[in-house]
């Protein structure tokens, strides 16, 4: 097993993935640790369109964190560092904390997030209607 490093990979399927990667020379395969898929993102800010990317789960229907793929399924791969690694790690932390909150079954208190009750809002709207 070779040394691990962070990389972005373009797969023959067209997918782009960011992950911690390790080459397995004896099997001619690549191990991906917690891979995230790259998704293109666009946002309009006034007259300016800003384009970029977001990271999301690569495979959603599993709890596995490591995947092994054949080396010939990779078109190209490049090592990444710095800001992209930080963005990747922050996204992983955000996804994992969201999963742990959802998995615990804890619900928010009934009144959490409410600004008022339906009865209070109905009365307020009726009062406004009666005044006009």
């Amino acid at each position: 097993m070779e040394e691990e490093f962070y990389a972005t990979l373009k797969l023959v399927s067209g997918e782009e993935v960011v992950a911690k990667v390790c080459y397995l020379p004896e099997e001619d395969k690549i191990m991906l640790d917690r891979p995230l898929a790259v998704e293109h993102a666009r946002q309009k800010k006034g007259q300016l369109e800003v384009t970029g990317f977001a990271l999301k789960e690569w495979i959603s229907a599993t709890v596995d964190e490591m995947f092994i793929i054949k080396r010939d399924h990779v078109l190209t791969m490049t090592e990444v560092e710095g800001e992209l690694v930080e963005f990747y790690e922050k996204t992983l932390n955000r996804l994992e904390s969201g999963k742990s909150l959802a998995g615990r079954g804890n619900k928010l208190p009934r009144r959490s997030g409410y600004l008022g009750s339906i009865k209070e809002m109905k009365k307020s709207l009726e009062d406004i209607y009666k005044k006009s």
Side-chain angles (χ1 to χ4, degrees), residues 46-95:
Q47 299 294 333
L48 182 65
E49 182 176 77
V50 179
T51 60
F53 67 92
L55 299 175
K56 65 177 189 171
E57 286 182 290
W58 182 47
I59 299 178
S60 301
T62 185
V63 294
D64 292 339
E65 293 183 346
M66 290 189 177
F67 302 89
I68 296 175
I69 60 173
K70 293 181 180 181
R71 189 174 61 97
D72 61 356
H73 287 149
V74 177
L75 287 176
T76 188
M77 172 174 42
T78 185
E79 189 170 355
V80 295
E81 52 189 32
E83 291 179 0
L84 186 55
V85 172
E86 289 176 29
F87 181 59
Y88 167 81
E89 292 289 344
K90 284 180 185 177
T91 303
L92 277 177
N93 290 335
R94 194 180 77 244
L95 288 171

Side-chain angles (χ1 to χ4, degrees), residues 7-21 29-38 40 56-59 67-78:
T8 183
L9 302 92
K10 186 70 166 187
L11 305 178
V12 293
S13 63
E15 298 169 292
E16 187 176 341
V17 178
V18 177
K20 190 182 287 186
V21 174
K29 294 184 179 178
I30 296 173
M31 183 175 65
L32 305 177
D33 182 21
R34 301 182 309 176
L36 295 177
V38 176
H40 294 280
K56 65 177 189 171
E57 286 182 290
W58 182 47
I59 299 178
F67 302 89
I68 296 175
I69 60 173
K70 293 181 180 181
R71 189 174 61 97
D72 61 356
H73 287 149
V74 177
L75 287 176
T76 188
M77 172 174 42
T78 185

Side-chain angles (χ1 to χ4, degrees), residues 116-124:
S117 71
I118 293 174
K119 287 180 184 177
E120 291 171 357
M121 186 56 67
K122 183 179 175 184
K123 182 172 179 353
S124 173

